[in-house]
Amino acid sequence: MSQETKGQNHQPATSPGETSQAGNRLTRAWSRAAGSDFIWSFKRSPVAVVSFLVALGLVLGAVLAPLFAPHNPFDPATLNLMNGFSSPMQPNAFTGEVFWLGTDDQGRDVFSTILYGMRISLFVGFAAVAFAMVLGVTLGLIAGYVGGWIGAVIMRIADVQLTFPGILVAMLIFGIAKGFTPLEQRDEMAIWVLIIAIGLSEWVQFARVVRGATMVEKGKEYVQAARLNGRGAGGIMIRHILPNVLGPVLVIATISLALAIIAEATLSFLGVGAPPTQPSLGTLIRIGQGYLFSGEWWILLFPSVTLLALALSVNLLGDWLRDVLNPRLR
Amino acid sequence: MTDTVLKVVNLTVKIPTRQGVLRPVDKLSLEIAKGKILGVVGESGAGKSMTGNAVIGLLDPPAHISGGEIWLNGKRIDTLTREPMRAVRGKQIGMVFQDPLTSLNPLLPIGDQLTETMLEHLDISASEAEKRAIAALEEVGIPGAAERIKSYPHEFSGGMRQRVVIALALCAEPSLVVADEPTTALDVSVQAQIIALLKRLCAERGTAIMLITHDMGVIAETADDVAVMYAGRMAELGPVRDVLTRPTHPYTQGLMASTPLAAKGGKRLNQIPGAMPRLTELPAGCAFHPRCPIAKDKCRADPAPTLGAGDGRAACWFAGEAGP
Amino acid sequence: MSDLVEVKNLVRDFDVSAPWLNRVLERKPKAILQAVSNVSFNIARNSVYALVGESGSGKSTIGKIIVGLLPPTAGTIKIDGIDPAHEPDKAKIAAMQVGIQMIFQDPYASLNPRWKVGDIIAEPVTARGGKADGLAQKLLEQVGLSGADVNKYPHEFSGGQRQRICIARALAAEPKLIVCDEPTSALDVSVQAQVLNLMSDLREEFGLTYLFISHDLTIVQHMADTVGVLYLGRLIEEAPREALFADPKHPYTKMLLEAAPKLDGFGREVEPPKGEIPDPIHPPTGCAYHPRCPIAVDRCTKERPEMEQKGKGRVACFLAV
Ligand SMILES: Nc1ncnc2c1ncn2[C@@H]1O[C@H](COP(=O)(O)OP(=O)(O)OP(=O)(O)O)[C@@H](O)[C@H]1O
Ligand SMILES: Nc1ncnc2c1ncn2[C@@H]1O[C@H](COP(=O)(O)OP(=O)(O)OP(=O)(O)O)[C@@H](O)[C@H]1O
Ligand SMILES: [Mg+2]
Ligand SMILES: [Mg+2]
C-alpha cells in the first residue's frame, strides 16, 4: 500500500469484495458497496448522528417508560389531586413534591405522561407504517410486475387518493369506522382504527415507488433468466424483485414514520384519535392547549417540543438515508 | 518540433477516496502533431476518459490533476483557471463524446447552438455565423442543412446527432479535437461514415485529434500513432503500424493475439489470464505483472519504467523479449 | 436426425402506438413495428448459428422468441421436433424448455445482486423444485472459477467472471441449446477471448448448440458455423461461414463486411456506406434495403425478394448471382 492509503482509519470493516476478486469496473462496485459505506457516511454526517441519538433517546424513553417514569399516569392510585398544576422544577405549594416538567390539572406528572404518550404515538406510528408498507409494497409489486389492467386499476386508485390530503382520508376512514363500532368498544378500538386510517392514507407512496422500481428491475436480465428457468410470477416478485426494491422502501418507511406520528398527533389533537384514557402526544397537546392562557404553559409546551423533536429527528434521518442509498444525488 | 499541437508531460490525475488516493492516470506523456490522429486504447477503466477529460479541463471532482504539464500550441493550459480554460476549450479544443446528447442542448435548435458557439469564439457577424453554420452542417453531411438548422436534437437519428456534434466541435476551428468513443454507440455502417468524416476534416484543416476508443480496428484504420494504456499508465506508444503489427509490450502482444481475427477462424483464441486490477488493488511493481507471461522478479519489485513522449515504445523492463 | 431448431415464417409485431386516449384525440393511426418479418431458418445439432445485423434488426427478439420469453405473432418454432404452440402434451413442452438457456449481453444486470452466486447458479434446478447439492461448486470449477466462490455475491466479480457465472447457470439446466445474446459485447478484448474460448470448449464437451447473436463480424467469423444476416427484421442472407465471408452475395452483407474496421486496415480509405437504417415502423416497400443499395433496380422497390438458394447459401436479392 502506498503512503497515501494510510490514515484511513474509517475503512469499512466488513467488505469482502474489496480485497478478494479483481474487477475492472470500480465505479459499479462503488454503488454496490453502499451497504458497507453506511457506517462511514453515518459518522461523517453530524445531522444523521444527532438525529439518530435524539430519536434513539426518545424511543428508548418510551419503550422503557415503566422503568423511567417517576409516576404511572394511568394508575389512579399514584395520583394526588393536590399536586395539580405544579410548575416545572418548583416544589408544589401543598405537597412540596418537585416535578421536572410540572403536572397537569389532575396532578399527573407531565414528564411521565409524555413518556407514556410517546408509547402510544410511536406504537400507532410504527404499526401504521408497517400496515402501509405491507399494503403498498404488495400492490406496488403487483402493479409493476403484472401491469396490464390490474396495474392500471391499482395506480388509478392511488392517484385518486393522492388528490386528497392524507389527513382528510384518515379522518374519513376514522369517521366511517367509528360509525360501525359499538359505543362501549370505541375507546378500545380507537387505536386500531387510527392505525388503519393512517396506514391507508400512506400506502400510496410505497406503491408508487415500488411500482417504479419493480418496472426497472423487471426489465433486467436476471428477471428474464428467472422466468426462463420456470419461476412463477409470485416467486420472481418475492424472491428476486422484492430484495432489490427494499432500499427505497426503507427510506419511505422512515419518512412515513415521521408523517404518521404527525398525522396521529393531528387526529388526536382534533379529538378524533387516541382517547383521553390512552393519551398520545397529540391528545396531550390538545389537553394542554386549554391551559395556555391561564398560565400553565408547560402542559402544552413540553409535549409539543417532544413531538417536534421526534418527528424532526426521524425525518432528518430519512433524508440522510435517501442520500446515502441514492449515490447519484451526492 | 514546431507543429506540436498537444504535448502532455508526466500527467498524473488523483482521486482521493476512502480506499486511499487513486491514480487513474499516472505519469502519462504524449504528443500530437498538427493534422495527426493519436489513438488512445485500453480496457475499460484504464484511464482513457480521465486522460481526455484532464486535457480538456473537465475532470469531475474529486478527480484533479496533481502533477505534470499540458501544453497546447506552446501554451501551458493545465494551470489555467476556470474562465480562461473555458475560452480555450471552446476556441482551441473541440470535444466529441460517446453520447451525442450530452453535448447538445435539447431545448435549442441545432442552428442556434452552432451560431452561438461561433459568435462566442470568432469575430464574425450574426448573419455570417448563420452562413457558416449551414456550411458546417453541409460539410458533415447533413442533407438539407439550410432547413435542418431549425430542427431540435431529438429530431435526428443517433448517427446524424453525432455529425451535428462534430460540426459543433469544429465550428470554432479548434486546433485539437478530443473524441471520446465517438462511434461506440453507433452501428458499423454509421461508424464507418463518422470515422471517414473525422479523417477527412482532420486532413483538410490540419486539426489534431485525440481519438479515444477500445476498438483496435478503428485505431488501425484511423490513427497515425497509438497509445496503449493499462491501469492508468502508458504501456506502449508508437506509430500505429509498428505497435499493432510488431508490439513489444507483453500486454499489447497479448491483446493483439486475443482478437478473434488473429485466430483466423476455428482455432482457440490466445487469452491473457485474469483481468485488469482495480485501482484500489494495484499490485506492487509493474501493474501488469500478475498477467504477464515474461514477468521476472524485477517486475514484481520495481514499477515499470515511465515512458516519455520521445522515448522507446514500451514501458516494460523486458520489452520485446517475448518476441512479437 | 432432424435439425434441433426449425424456425418457419416467424413474425413478431410490437404495438408502439401512443396510448389509446392520445391516439383518439390526435387522430393518429395505430403504429405497428414489425421487429421480425417472415424469418425462416434451421439450426443443426451441435453447431453454432450466428445471427448478425445492426441495432434494431431483430436479433434479440428472435432469440427471446426461441427461448420462450416472447410469444411469436405468427409462424412456428420447433425445437427438438416439438412446437410449444401446438403440442398438447404439457410435460413434453416443459421438458423441452428446460433444455433451452440464454446468456445475456449485460453481465451486470443478468445476476441478481442480492443473491449468492451458488444460489444463482443452482436456480434452473431449484426454481423447478429440484435439489442442487454441490452442483454450483462443480459448475464454477467447470467455468474456471473457484468452487469456494459459491458464497460470494456478484459484485465481487469482474465482468468476465460474471459472464462465466451466467454460463455456469445455463449449464446447470443441462441444456441442449444456448441462445447467446451478444455475450461478450460488454467485455474487454482480453477478457472476451477467455469467454469465447470457454464457450467453444463447453460446446465440445457437452455437445451444445449455440444461437450466437452478435453485431461484431470478427467474433462471428471466429465462432459460427452458419451465419444469418438480418436487416430490419428480415433475414436477407444465410450461408456457411467461409462462404459468407469469402463471397457475400447480398449487397447489404457486402457493405457490412466492407465497413467493419480491419485490424490490418492501416490508412484504409473506405467509401462510406450510404444512408442509415430506415424507420422500422414505415419500412421501405419491396426490398427493405433498396434505398441504400448501390445496385437497386426498379423491381427492388416494388417486390419483396424471397430467400433463394444461391451458391452455398440462401439470399434474398433479385440481383445476387
Ligand atoms: N469518482 C471516482 N472515484 C473513484 N474512482 C473513479 C472515479 N471516477 C472514475 N474512477 C476510476 O478511474 C478509472 C479510470 O476511468 P476512465 O473513465 O478514465 O476509464 P476509461 O478508460 O475511459 O474506461 P471506459 O472504457 O469504461 O470508458 C476507472 O478505474 C474508474 O473506476
Ligand atoms: N418490447 C418492445 N416494444 C416495442 N418495440 C420493441 C420491443 N422490443 C423490441 N422492439 C423493437 O423491435 C426492433 C428489434 O429489436 P431487437 O431488440 O430485436 O433488435 P436487436 O437486433 O437485438 O438490436 P441491438 O443490436 O440493438 O440489440 C427494434 O426496432 C426495437 O425498437
Ligand atoms: Mg471512458
Ligand atoms: Mg439486442
Side-chain angles (χ1 to χ4, degrees):
Chain A
M1 272 216 193
S2 73
Q3 205 180 342
E4 284 139 344
T5 48
K6 281 181 200 152
Q8 292 285 317
N9 44 5
H10 36 236
Q11 198 138 2
T14 51
S15 173
E18 304 301 352
T19 48
S20 52
Q21 294 294 337
N24 46 11
R25 300 234 168 180
L26 192 77
T27 23
R28 295 206 190 226
W30 230 165
S31 54
R32 288 282 143 67
S36 54
D37 294 345
F38 212 73
I39 306 288
W40 186 85
S41 334
F42 180 74
K43 282 191 194 151
R44 299 244 309 196
S45 163
V47 175
V49 175
V50 171
S51 315
F52 179 74
L53 290 179
V54 170
L56 187 74
L58 290 171
V59 171
L60 278 181
V63 171
L64 304 176
L67 302 178
F68 265 101
H71 298 264
N72 182 349
F74 303 117
D75 183 1
T78 70
L79 286 186
N80 182 353
L81 272 181
M82 300 294 281
N83 279 334
F85 297 129
S86 305
S87 307
M89 302 307 289
Q90 310 261 322
N92 184 277
F94 306 102
T95 62
E97 282 184 67
V98 178
F99 299 93
W100 293 353
L101 304 183
T103 61
D104 65 4
D105 54 336
Q106 301 177 41
R108 284 188 298 206
D109 174 32
V110 171
F111 180 60
S112 306
T113 51
I114 287 177
L115 288 185
Y116 278 89
M118 241 178 358
R119 284 169 78 105
I120 307 280
S121 292
L122 281 170
F123 175 71
V124 171
F126 275 112
V129 169
F131 176 60
M133 190 159 81
V134 171
L135 189 68
V137 170
T138 311
L139 291 177
L141 273 175
I142 293 172
Y145 189 75
V146 180
W149 67 267
I150 300 181
V153 168
I154 294 176
M155 290 331 284
R156 283 305 82 74
I157 295 176
D159 286 346
V160 169
Q161 191 172 328
L162 263 193
T163 59
F164 297 103
I167 200 80
L168 207 68
V169 177
M171 282 181 76
L172 194 74
I173 295 166
F174 197 81
I176 295 173
K178 220 171 175 181
F180 286 103
T181 37
L183 201 60
E184 61 274 17
Q185 283 173 19
R186 261 192 207 164
D187 272 10
E188 211 173 288
M189 296 290 293
I191 297 288
W192 297 102
V193 173
L194 203 53
I195 288 169
I196 290 174
I198 296 174
L200 279 182
S201 72
E202 264 170 27
W203 69 274
V204 175
Q205 296 304 334
F206 289 96
R208 294 192 126 198
V209 167
V210 169
R211 172 175 170 266
T214 302
M215 290 191 351
V216 172
E217 295 300 317
K218 182 188 172 184
K220 289 195 182 160
E221 288 149 350
Y222 73 87
V223 173
Q224 302 194 7
R227 271 178 61 199
L228 191 69
N229 284 315
R231 212 177 264 287
I236 289 178
M237 278 191 266
I238 294 167
R239 302 215 39 202
H240 280 285
I241 296 181
L242 185 61
N244 284 295
V245 301
L246 279 183
V249 168
L250 190 64
V251 175
I252 302 183
T254 318
I255 293 172
S256 292
L257 179 62
L259 289 178
I261 290 171
I262 292 176
E264 184 277 330
T266 313
L267 289 172
S268 301
F269 180 80
L270 294 173
V272 293
T277 49
Q278 283 171 295
S280 69
L281 288 177
T283 324
L284 295 178
I285 294 171
R286 174 162 61 96
I287 297 169
Q289 180 218 20
Y291 299 102
L292 183 59
F293 295 106
S294 53
E296 288 84 20
W297 49 269
W298 57 89
I299 308 181
L300 173 66
L301 182 73
F302 294 120
S304 308
V305 169
T306 312
L307 176 68
L308 192 74
L310 188 61
L312 197 64
S313 60
V314 172
N315 205 344
L316 289 174
L317 218 51
D319 273 352
W320 168 79
L321 223 101
R322 184 181 51 205
D323 295 350
V324 172
L325 294 183
N326 187 355
R328 252 166 297 150
L329 274 181
R330 270 189 286 192
Chain B
M1 262 210 275
T2 47
D3 62 349
T4 302
V5 175
L6 178 74
K7 183 170 178 172
V8 174
V9 186
N10 279 335
L11 176 72
T12 302
V13 173
K14 286 188 179 169
I15 310 178
T17 70
R18 72 198 79 136
Q19 284 99 345
V21 177
L22 308 181
R23 271 187 242 196
V25 182
D26 196 4
K27 299 216 186 77
L28 198 81
S29 303
L30 49 83
E31 266 179 37
I32 314 179
K34 194 161 182 285
K36 296 286 181 196
I37 301 181
L38 172 78
V40 178
V41 280
E43 299 184 32
S44 174
K48 309 182 293 293
S49 301
M50 281 287 170
T51 308
N53 291 347
V55 168
I56 57 184
L58 279 184
L59 283 175
D60 283 329
H64 61 276
I65 298 176
S66 71
E69 296 160 17
I70 303 174
W71 297 78
L72 184 69
N73 297 320
K75 252 180 59 193
R76 192 157 169 195
I77 58 169
D78 58 309
T79 47
L80 291 181
T81 50
R82 241 172 115 116
E83 275 312 304
M85 188 60 212
R86 225 173 67 88
V88 167
R89 195 154 54 229
K91 174 72 189 85
Q92 288 174 277
I93 310 181
M95 298 160 290
V96 182
F97 294 111
Q98 173 173 347
D99 180 4
L101 288 181
T102 55
S103 329
L104 295 173
N105 180 344
L107 303 175
L108 269 188
I110 56 159
D112 291 7
Q113 304 191 33
L114 282 164
T115 47
E116 229 169 59
T117 313
M118 281 189 272
L119 288 174
E120 192 179 329
H121 297 293
L122 303 176
D123 191 18
I124 51 173
S125 69
S127 60
E128 170 70 14
E130 177 156 337
K131 251 188 242 143
R132 286 209 198 175
I134 296 174
L137 288 177
E138 265 164 7
E139 202 175 357
V140 296
I142 304 250
E147 290 97 64
R148 296 296 292 213
I149 56 167
K150 296 200 185 64
S151 308
Y152 289 86
H154 71 262
E155 295 169 42
F156 291 90
S157 69
M160 283 293 168
R161 271 183 215 143
Q162 200 60 296
R163 289 165 192 268
V164 174
V165 171
I166 292 176
L168 196 60
L170 289 171
C171 68
E173 294 171 354
S175 46
L176 172 72
V177 169
V178 175
D180 192 350
E181 316 242 6
T183 59
T184 305
L186 304 174
D187 280 319
V188 209
S189 60
V190 184
Q191 165 171 299
Q193 296 168 351
I194 298 287
I195 293 289
L197 174 68
L198 275 178
K199 266 165 87 169
R200 200 190 80 219
L201 295 174
C202 163
E204 282 173 4
R205 303 182 173 196
T207 316
I209 299 187
M210 179 166 171
L211 177 69
I212 297 171
T213 173
H214 59 261
D215 189 331
M216 278 290 190
V218 170
I219 294 278
E221 294 198 349
T222 330
D224 299 296
D225 294 301
V226 58
V228 183
M229 289 187 69
Y230 188 81
R233 300 192 119 232
M234 185 71 81
E236 184 155 3
L237 176 67
V240 69
R241 194 184 287 265
D242 295 351
V243 173
L244 265 57
T245 53
R246 283 173 284 119
T248 53
H249 194 289
Y251 171 62
T252 327
Q253 289 169 348
L255 206 60
M256 293 312 294
S258 63
T259 52
L261 270 191
K264 291 276 186 285
K267 274 188 290 170
R268 271 177 76 84
L269 296 170
N270 188 345
Q271 61 185 56
I272 311 178
M276 195 171 73
R278 296 180 203 192
L279 292 177
T280 42
E281 28 197 69
L282 285 184
C286 169
F288 185 61
H289 88 250
R291 304 174 72 187
C292 182
I294 58 164
K296 303 190 174 53
D297 284 343
K298 188 175 176 57
C299 308
R300 287 179 267 271
D302 302 340
T306 303
L307 212 55
D311 305 352
R313 272 181 24 208
C316 174
W317 296 117
F318 306 100
E321 283 193 10
Chain C
M1 239 190 328
S2 66
D3 286 335
L4 182 65
V5 180
E6 294 166 48
V7 177
K8 238 197 163 120
N9 302 329
L10 187 69
V11 176
R12 171 69 209 202
D13 294 341
F14 287 110
D15 186 348
V16 290
S17 331
W20 172 79
L21 194 62
N22 298 36
R23 222 169 55 226
V24 174
L25 292 178
E26 291 162 27
R27 292 166 205 278
K28 278 197 193 138
K30 248 184 148 134
I32 299 293
L33 189 158
Q34 194 156 72
V36 180
S37 177
N38 206 17
V39 167
S40 308
F41 63 92
N42 287 3
I43 307 179
R45 281 168 204 276
N46 197 13
S47 74
V48 179
Y49 189 102
L51 277 179
V52 290
E54 297 179 271
S55 136
S57 55
K59 308 180 295 291
S60 300
T61 308
I62 294 179
K64 284 184 189 163
I65 295 175
I66 289 180
V67 299
L69 283 173
L70 269 181
T73 305
T76 55
I77 290 179
K78 270 193 197 162
I79 296 167
D80 233 352
I82 299 169
D83 175 1
H86 298 100
E87 174 67 44
D89 186 352
K90 284 251 161 61
K92 255 187 174 170
I93 300 179
M96 181 265 293
Q97 272 166 346
V98 177
I100 312 171
Q101 284 291 317
M102 185 153 179
I103 297 168
F104 299 91
Q105 172 173 5
D106 184 352
Y108 294 88
S110 27
L111 305 174
N112 187 336
R114 308 272 163 189
W115 279 33
K116 282 187 179 161
V117 166
D119 297 334
I120 292 176
I121 293 176
E123 186 171 29
V125 179
T126 53
R128 297 189 166 89
K131 275 257 174 299
D133 297 331
L135 178 67
Q137 273 103 330
K138 198 186 88 193
L139 288 170
L140 273 174
E141 274 155 28
Q142 211 135 33
V143 297
L145 295 171
S146 147
D149 289 342
V150 285
N151 286 320
K152 291 186 180 166
Y153 286 90
H155 73 84
E156 299 172 41
F157 296 87
S158 68
Q161 291 171 321
R162 285 172 196 232
Q163 211 56 308
R164 287 169 191 262
I165 296 172
C166 293
I167 294 173
R169 170 173 61 192
L171 291 179
E174 299 181 4
K176 287 187 179 144
L177 171 71
I178 302 185
V179 174
C180 316
D181 192 352
E182 316 225 11
T184 60
S185 67
L187 305 179
D188 289 311
V189 186
S190 72
V191 178
Q192 164 179 295
Q194 300 167 5
V195 172
L196 293 181
N197 281 343
L198 174 67
M199 292 179 60
S200 304
D201 296 347
L202 293 172
R203 174 185 160 204
E204 284 184 9
E205 194 173 340
F206 296 101
L208 299 172
T209 305
Y210 290 135
L211 172 59
F212 195 95
I213 294 171
S214 180
H215 65 263
D216 186 335
L217 289 162
T218 58
I219 299 178
V220 167
Q221 187 169 13
H222 175 69
M223 292 292 287
D225 297 317
T226 313
V227 183
V229 183
L230 287 168
Y231 185 72
L232 225 61
R234 296 148 174 82
L235 190 63
I236 52 115
E237 179 161 8
E238 178 193 76
R241 178 195 46 211
E242 291 84 10
L244 187 103
F245 282 92
D247 180 21
K249 303 268 188 227
H250 197 286
Y252 175 66
T253 317
K254 284 183 189 160
M255 185 275 276
L256 266 190
L257 292 183
E258 182 63 23
K262 311 271 181 299
L263 265 183
D264 50 1
F266 301 111
R268 190 169 69 113
E269 292 291 340
V270 275
E271 178 63 26
K274 275 200 301 179
E276 291 183 37
I277 300 175
D279 174 11
I281 302 172
H282 307 287
T285 54
C287 170
Y289 188 59
H290 85 254
R292 302 171 71 185
C293 182
I295 56 167
V297 294
D298 206 31
R299 187 179 173 201
C300 305
T301 63
K302 297 189 182 102
E303 206 181 317
R304 178 169 166 183
E306 294 296 318
M307 287 287 268
E308 275 171 47
Q309 191 74 35
K310 284 193 182 141
K312 285 183 181 145
R314 296 187 295 148
V315 195
C317 178
F318 299 122
L319 303 165
V321 281

